[in-house]
Amino acid sequence: MKDYILVSDSTADLPADIVKQLDVCILPFSYSIENEVYLYYLDERDGDIRDFYQRLKDGAMPVTSQVNPMIYKDFFEKYVKEGKAIVYLSFTSGLSGSYASSLTAIDMIKEDYPDAKICAIDSYAASVGEGAFLYEAAKKKQAGAEYDELVAWIRSRCRKVSHWFMVEDLFHLKRGGRVSTVEAVLGSALKIKPILSVDEEGKLVVKAKTRGQAKALNYLRDKTVEEGGDLSKLTAVIGNADAMESAEKLKSMMIEVGMKDENILIAPIGPIIGTHVGPGMVAIAFVRPDAD
């Protein structure tokens, strides 16, 4: 079996140093803000995350777009030319057409390289959910999983990632059609903090509406306790959209109920997801133990 690499994209929110340690290749997605186009790399080489969120707070309206097949083709092809096989864990098809673009790119590559071994898998996950899934997959690879073994493992778990998000500002959800204008106005006035999740089709759904941040963080903690099994063995990713203080608070809450400090990763929510949720979002995600 030839060498293979694990690839994902920059919607998978993980700390950049962890991704480097895991030896995962990340395809940067792009976003535009105030007529400037940026590629989002997890190490922020083409745009600072805190600056991005400040611009949102100042009224900027960023835009993301679907990745076209040629971008995937160029990215994959350089590894194919090196003789490497590829496992690509994709951003959910429930929120983007990028997964479909990756499949088109693979078909194009196989016309020129019939023996190329490339597999694209829909994660049905987003943000720290995709990041948590990627983390577990990369650990399997590092532990010696062969290509086909890892592909089978990913496919068996791609609908078993728990995502729980607290959103600070309802108006960003309104832009995406997740709540109405009336809900956004009333919710903001009443300090409503919507709780969102990602369903088995990889689509964003509103699961609850809490009043105040404390109740929202409690909700995230309680859902993790409910779904996380033996918390002393659980690995989770806590994400924050320029809300590190809240992320640290949630981490402390999770340690109080039995999680280990070293098993909780705190990651920034990058601009690709941040465009749609806005500053202040806090999230926790993990692969459910019932997937084992």
Side-chain angles (χ1 to χ4, degrees), residues 13-20 42 237 265-268:
D13 289 316
L14 276 175
D17 60 334
I18 295 295
V19 171
K20 186 175 181 180
L42 299 184
V237 182
L265 308 176
I266 293 184

Side-chain angles (χ1 to χ4, degrees), residues 243-270:
M244 180 59 80
E245 184 177 342
S246 297
E248 292 283 5
K249 183 175 181 180
L250 180 58
K251 179 178 179 177
S252 296
M253 292 166 66
M254 297 315 307
I255 292 172
E256 287 174 1
V257 293
M259 285 196 71
K260 293 183 178 179
D261 184 293
E262 62 269 25
N263 291 342
I264 304 174
L265 308 176
I266 293 184
I269 303 293

Side-chain angles (χ1 to χ4, degrees), residues 44-84:
E44 303 178 47
R45 72 187 73 166
D46 187 30
D48 179 79
I49 290 177
R50 294 191 69 179
D51 176 68
F52 168 80
Y53 284 115
Q54 187 58 54
R55 292 168 79 174
L56 262 64
K57 292 173 185 176
D58 292 340
M61 304 284 277
V63 176
T64 61
S65 59
Q66 178 179 320
V67 181
N68 71 59
M70 290 306 300
I71 291 175
Y72 277 110
K73 181 177 183 294
D74 291 344
F75 189 83
F76 292 153
E77 195 169 40
K78 63 186 177 184
Y79 297 110
V80 171
K81 288 179 178 178
E82 295 173 0
K84 291 183 171 64

Side-chain angles (χ1 to χ4, degrees), residues 118-138:
I118 313 176
C119 179
I121 307 172
D122 188 344
S123 71
Y124 297 102
S127 186
V128 289
E130 187 182 354
F133 196 5
L134 178 63
Y135 180 87
E136 299 288 359

Side-chain angles (χ1 to χ4, degrees), residues 171-188:
F171 285 99
H172 292 278
L173 289 177
K174 182 187 77 67
R175 284 182 62 206
R178 298 296 169 184
V179 298
S180 69
T181 301
V182 172
E183 286 179 310
V185 172
L186 291 178
S188 295

Side-chain angles (χ1 to χ4, degrees), residues 207-225:
K207 300 294 285 187
K209 295 176 183 178
T210 58
R211 190 167 183 179
Q213 186 184 80
K215 289 183 179 179
L217 292 178
N218 286 343
Y219 192 103
L220 268 56
R221 176 201 60 201
D222 293 347
K223 294 305 292 188
T224 305
V225 170

Side-chain angles (χ1 to χ4, degrees), residues 70-168:
M70 290 306 300
I71 291 175
Y72 277 110
K73 181 177 183 294
D74 291 344
F75 189 83
F76 292 153
E77 195 169 40
K78 63 186 177 184
Y79 297 110
V80 171
K81 288 179 178 178
E82 295 173 0
K84 291 183 171 64
I86 300 169
V87 179
Y88 171 51
L89 185 65
S90 168
F91 181 46
T92 172
S93 63
L95 296 175
S96 169
S98 296
Y99 171 64
S101 292
S102 75
L103 297 179
T104 300
I106 289 171
D107 289 340
M108 295 166 65
I109 288 172
K110 288 188 173 180
E111 289 181 5
D112 297 327
Y113 304 90
D115 296 328
K117 196 173 182 69
I118 313 176
C119 179
I121 307 172
D122 188 344
S123 71
Y124 297 102
S127 186
V128 289
E130 187 182 354
F133 196 5
L134 178 63
Y135 180 87
E136 299 288 359
K139 285 291 188 182
K140 292 286 182 184
K141 182 178 185 295
Q142 286 189 331
E146 295 287 340
Y147 182 97
D148 291 337
E149 181 184 356
L150 186 66
V151 167
W153 184 88
I154 292 173
R155 284 180 168 158
S156 71
R157 287 154 177 81
C158 61
R159 297 176 191 264
K160 297 182 181 293
V161 181
S162 286
H163 309 66
W164 294 101
F165 303 79
M166 176 200 80
V167 180
E168 181 72 19

